[in-house]
Amino acid sequence: MSHTDSTSPILSTRFRVQNDENGDLISKLPDEILTNILSKLHIDEAVRCSVLSKRWEGLWKQTSHIEFDVNHMIIPMTKLLHSRALFPHPGFFLSKSKAEGVYRYGSVIFQLIRLHSGDISSCRIVHFQISLSIGEVGIWVDLLVERKKCLKDLSLKCLPGLREISKLEISKPRFRCGVFDCLGSLEFINYTIDFGYAFENVEVLF
């Protein structure tokens, strides 16, 4: 028997499994496992998984970890939001212009946090300096703490400003007094910490 003949039954079996409408073994996994997989992705990637099949639709809303990264979201999320119409008003869509996209980024984060219906235990947000200047970061943190009572770990990373918006005055971070009280760990990257009032009632923080 030739080498090709000896392997043909195996190849044939693989072909049948791949073409069987019930052969999607991953989609048969429990929600807990699927949401755990999505928790490892950036939010734009997790949301895009909703287009795989109805089985995956909306599962990103149950992830325990959510990660926003401005580098991933400015352009990719524009296309996704237009194609899926996730938001009720076109004002939430990101602009094709990168500078305009940064301004829309804050609205997208706000809406995604509102749409998320599960318990978030950890969150990471990578943003540009402009989000500090216009007070968006404080709004995001307030919303997370208010809506996600299980939030324990938070990471905030500030990226250098874009050339298109570098002429704007960069103000200091503004956080509500005691907003970090519920956290077990908090990470600031590229921040100047001069807002001690936000940690007023924090007992232990790593």
Side-chain angles (χ1 to χ4, degrees):
M1 182 179 292
S2 67
H3 178 72
T4 302
D5 292 338
S6 63
T7 58
S8 58
I10 297 177
L11 294 176
S12 177
T13 300
R14 289 177 179 173
F15 180 81
R16 286 197 303 271
V17 170
Q18 292 173 353
N19 287 274
D20 186 346
E21 62 180 8
N22 296 318
D24 183 2
L25 300 181
I26 294 181
S27 293
K28 293 181 179 179
L29 295 172
D31 284 359
E32 292 78 6
I33 295 179
L34 294 181
T35 53
N36 185 55
I37 293 173
L38 294 178
S39 293
K40 311 297 183 184
L41 306 177
H42 291 97
I43 186 61
D44 58 298
E45 297 168 331
V47 175
R48 276 204 296 270
C49 287
S50 293
V51 305
L52 295 177
S53 69
K54 290 184 177 181
R55 176 71 179 87
W56 289 80
E57 189 172 353
L59 282 178
W60 69 270
K61 298 178 183 179
Q62 301 296 323
T63 54
S64 60
H65 172 79
I66 191 166
E67 183 155 344
F68 302 99
D69 190 332
V70 67
N71 293 311
H72 281 253
M73 292 175 61
I74 290 180
I75 299 302
M77 284 297 287
T78 303
K79 299 177 181 179
L80 176 65
L81 297 179
H82 278 290
S83 65
R84 299 293 291 174
L86 289 179
F87 300 141
H89 190 280
F92 293 131
F93 295 157
L94 298 178
S95 169
K96 293 182 180 180
S97 162
K98 191 173 184 181
E100 289 295 326
V102 172
Y103 288 107
R104 297 298 185 187
Y105 177 66
S107 295
V108 171
I109 289 185
F110 186 85
Q111 292 302 318
L112 287 175
I113 293 174
R114 290 184 67 250
L115 288 170
H116 193 284
S117 55
D119 294 326
I120 298 178
S121 59
S122 60
C123 178
R124 182 172 184 262
I125 303 177
V126 180
H127 62 84
F128 285 120
Q129 289 177 334
I130 185 63
S131 294
L132 290 178
S133 296
I134 60 180
E136 286 182 331
V137 179
I139 293 174
W140 302 334
V141 173
D142 279 344
L143 184 63
L144 278 167
V145 171
E146 177 185 347
R147 295 179 64 91
K148 305 301 176 183
K149 304 301 183 183
C150 294
L151 182 68
K152 296 300 179 185
D153 306 311
L154 178 63
S155 174
L156 300 172
K157 181 177 181 179
C158 182
L159 299 178
L162 292 176
R163 182 176 61 183
E164 297 94 327
I165 56 177
S166 59
K167 295 182 180 180
L168 294 176
E169 181 181 355
I170 303 301
S171 64
K172 297 178 181 179
R174 298 190 294 270
F175 294 105
R176 177 173 52 81
C177 179
V179 70
F180 302 120
D181 291 358
C182 65
L183 299 178
S185 69
L186 176 64
E187 178 182 50
F188 288 110
I189 302 176
N190 299 332
Y191 270 69
T192 298
I193 307 298
D194 56 0
F195 42 88
Y197 57 86
F199 306 96
E200 188 173 291
N201 299 315
V202 175
E203 297 181 0
V204 179
L205 190 63
F206 296 97

